Amino acid sequence: MTFLLSRSFLSLTLKPSSSSISMANLTTNAKSRLRGVVFDMDGTLTVPVIDFAAMYRSVLGEDEYKRIKAESPTGIDILHHIESWSPDKQQKAYETIADYEKQGIDKLQIMPGVVELCGFLDSKKIKRGLITRNVKKAIDIFHQRFEVIFSPALGREFRPYKPNPDPLLHICSAWDIQPNEVMMVGDSLKDDIACGKGAGAFTCLLDETGRYGPDDFSVSGLQPDFKVDSMSKIQNILETNFDLNP
């Protein structure tokens, strides 16, 4: 199932909207130009295999995990949380995170629909990049194992990392493309959609399990432009709603 969300001037049938048009002085019948797509990696380009809840419990402890989870309904930003810790405590936390990430690398699988979508993007000469809060080593293994290359591809070594928009703005600058000609695709509302919105890009939330609903968008103040339940649905969104000419 594919959902069109916040930009009311776009619809899968391109019907006129009474809402105001805020981007690029679009007319009702015009399509926004799209020249690049930037993807999250874990849970977007790859099948989700990391048990993040178990990771957070290991890093934070059960009581602290429950407290932070209750205060953060859209999800825990573990990297941001441990930044204020002492160096020794940080090191131990990063080692724990690395252990879970290694388990994920060992089980790495490409998400169904990714290869076909990348082939479509290549056929339209649309650039594709990658932003992850995982490490560069994981990106390198992904590239080597599946031979689907994204460039630029930024790991958490690039600071500040998502949800800060700087990684996405960096990629737009490297491509010499405006952010409003780019789409950010990811499975995290608080990281990927926040990053895309902050940069001024289009956003597409991959929600395979129906994890997110209107209440989540309302509480977070983050409403993606599109929401899909599989990567295979994105090509139709691009073809229907955007000008894909080089």
Side-chain angles (χ1 to χ4, degrees):
M1 185 176 295
T2 304
F3 298 90
L4 179 66
L5 297 170
S6 66
R7 286 190 174 96
S8 59
F9 63 90
L10 292 173
S11 70
L12 293 180
T13 56
L14 292 179
K15 295 178 180 178
S17 168
S18 59
S19 301
S20 61
I21 296 169
S22 59
M23 295 184 62
N25 296 318
L26 296 174
T27 64
T28 304
N29 295 321
K31 293 183 179 182
S32 298
R33 189 180 186 193
L34 193 78
R35 301 174 62 196
V37 181
V38 179
F39 297 87
D40 167 55
M41 189 171 74
D42 297 306
T44 302
L45 294 176
T46 63
V47 175
V49 292
I50 297 176
D51 187 340
F52 285 102
M55 177 200 291
Y56 299 157
R57 286 188 173 95
S58 296
V59 172
L60 299 169
E62 186 67 25
D63 292 343
E64 185 72 354
Y65 167 75
K66 289 180 178 178
R67 183 187 69 79
I68 297 175
K69 184 178 180 182
E71 295 174 355
S72 307
T74 60
I76 296 173
D77 188 340
I78 192 68
L79 297 179
H80 176 74
H81 187 77
I82 65 179
E83 281 183 345
S84 62
W85 292 1
S86 67
D88 288 346
K89 192 176 180 182
Q90 277 190 33
Q91 181 61 32
K92 184 176 180 181
Y94 283 126
E95 289 173 357
T96 300
I97 292 171
D99 287 341
Y100 277 91
E101 290 175 338
K102 184 180 183 303
Q103 295 173 32
I105 290 173
D106 292 341
K107 302 174 183 177
L108 201 63
Q109 301 176 55
I110 196 165
M111 185 71 80
V114 166
V115 173
E116 294 80 2
L117 178 57
C118 288
F120 170 75
L121 295 177
D122 289 347
S123 73
K124 297 294 184 179
K125 294 182 170 47
I126 296 173
K127 298 179 182 295
R128 44 188 165 93
L130 185 159
I131 302 172
T132 179
R133 286 159 60 99
N134 208 323
V135 293
K136 185 178 183 300
K137 179 181 178 182
I139 299 173
D140 293 340
I141 291 173
F142 173 84
H143 283 158
Q144 293 164 9
R145 187 171 299 179
F146 302 113
E147 298 182 341
V148 181
I149 307 301
F150 296 80
S151 180
L154 306 178
R156 68 169 173 261
E157 294 85 355
F158 183 97
R159 297 295 185 97
Y161 38 68
K162 296 182 300 184
N164 191 289
D166 282 7
L168 184 52
L169 293 173
H170 174 83
I171 289 178
C172 291
S173 178
W175 285 344
D176 194 21
I177 292 176
Q178 294 300 311
N180 63 5
E181 296 178 319
V182 171
M183 177 181 282
M184 179 74 208
V185 178
D187 68 320
S188 172
L189 188 64
K190 69 178 180 64
D191 292 331
D192 304 314
I193 303 307
C195 176
K197 290 288 184 184
F202 288 93
T203 56
C204 181
L205 179 66
L206 174 64
D207 186 10
E208 291 188 294
T209 61
R211 171 186 175 190
Y212 295 105
D215 289 346
D216 299 296
F217 304 143
S218 177
V219 169
S220 67
L222 298 167
Q223 185 167 308
D225 301 305
F226 303 95
K227 179 172 177 277
V228 296
D229 57 15
S230 87
M231 292 293 284
S232 63
K233 304 290 180 64
I234 295 178
Q235 178 176 335
N236 181 63
I237 283 177
L238 301 183
E239 290 183 303
T240 304
N241 296 284
F242 294 95
D243 174 4
L244 306 179
N245 292 319

